[in-house]
Structure formats: structure tokens, C-alpha cells
């Protein structure tokens, strides 16, 4: 039986989806997170650095609520609206994933919800 994961330490879903789903087999699928401040639901102030930090903090909160850690993340997908921001995103990302880094995809997209600059989803396993 799959378990729905929800925490107030990350923004609530803004559509018909769950923050994350944990499978009976130990896989954790975390929905894409955008840089919303959990307490207000507003987009974090600042540029790509502030947005990337907020996204990763949101992901960490959900992963932690499920009983996992960022060290359990095996795959990420990073969506950015400007590949020119890749270096800045990568620098901040590297502060969260320091050893045994997960596999990753990074793609430029034309637009993200609420006109944010970055969205990231993760898959974790225990």
C-alpha cells in the first residue's frame, strides 16, 4: 500500500497531487517543488539563488517528513527557465548533495508555475 506524505514544513500541493508518495517497496517520489515559502504560500523574494535554496529546503522538509534524508535521494530533475542560471543553481545544489550525489537531469523550460525560475523533483530509496 502506498503512503501519502504531507508536511506543513513545505508548501501544500497547489493542484490535485500529493507532496510525495512512499511505496511499499521503499521508494519515495516527491512532486516538483517551486520556491514557495511554506508559511505564506508566496514565492520567495530574490533571484535564482534564493529560489533554488527555497526549493531545496522544501524538498528536504518533505523527504525528512517521510523518514528519509537527502542522502537517500537517487534521482533529481531540475527545471530552469534560463540555462544561463545553471552555474548558480548547480552551486547551491552542490551544498545540499555533497557525497554520493544522485543521478540528475537539468532542462530549460519556457515557463514554470507562478513564473518561478526553478523547480526540482526527487526520487529517494531506502
Amino acid at each position: 500500500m502506498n503512503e501519502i506524505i504531507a508536511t506543513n514544513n513545505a508548501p501544500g500541493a497547489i493542484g490535485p497531487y500529493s507532496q510525495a508518495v512512499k511505496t511499499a517497496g521503499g521508494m519515495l517520489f516527491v512532486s516538483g517543488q517551486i520556491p514557495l515559502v511554506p508559511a505564506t504560500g508566496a514565492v520567495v523574494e530574490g533571484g535564482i539563488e534564493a529560489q533554488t535554496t527555497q526549493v531545496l529546503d522544501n524538498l528536504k522538509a518533505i523527504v525528512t517528513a517521510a523518514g528519509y534524508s537527502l542522502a537517500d535521494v537517487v534521482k533529481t530533475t531540475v527545471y530552469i527557465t534560463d540555462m544561463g542560471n545553471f552555474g548558480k543553481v548547480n552551486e547551491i545544489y552542490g551544498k545540499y548533495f555533497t557525497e554520493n550525489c544522485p543521478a540528475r537531469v537539468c532542462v530549460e523550460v519556457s515557463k514554470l508555475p507562478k513564473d518561478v525560475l526553478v523547480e526540482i523533483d526527487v526520487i529517494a530509496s531506502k
Side-chain angles (χ1 to χ4, degrees), residues 1 6 9 11 17 28 36 38 55 72 90-92 96 101 103 107 117 120:
M1 176 63 88
N9 295 325
Y17 61 91
L28 178 69
L36 300 180
V55 166
D72 297 315
N90 200 48
E91 181 180 341
I92 293 164
Y96 288 78
C101 298
V107 295
L117 305 174
I120 303 173

Side-chain angles (χ1 to χ4, degrees), residues 27-107:
M27 299 291 295
L28 178 69
F29 297 87
V30 182
S31 294
Q33 294 298 301
I34 60 175
L36 300 180
V37 177
T40 65
V43 174
V44 71
E45 296 287 327
I48 190 65
E49 294 95 340
Q51 289 196 13
T52 303
T53 299
Q54 185 66 58
V55 166
L56 289 162
D57 285 345
N58 292 345
L59 287 166
K60 184 177 178 181
I62 296 168
V63 167
T64 300
Y68 292 68
S69 75
L70 290 181
D72 297 315
V73 173
V74 296
K75 171 79 168 51
T76 67
T77 305
V78 179
Y79 307 90
I80 54 179
T81 58
D82 180 355
M83 197 55 80
N85 286 327
F86 177 78
K88 293 174 184 175
V89 171
N90 200 48
E91 181 180 341
I92 293 164
Y93 180 98
K95 293 176 183 177
Y96 288 78
F97 299 103
T98 58
E99 294 182 25
N100 300 317
C101 298
R104 178 178 75 183
V105 173
C106 181
V107 295

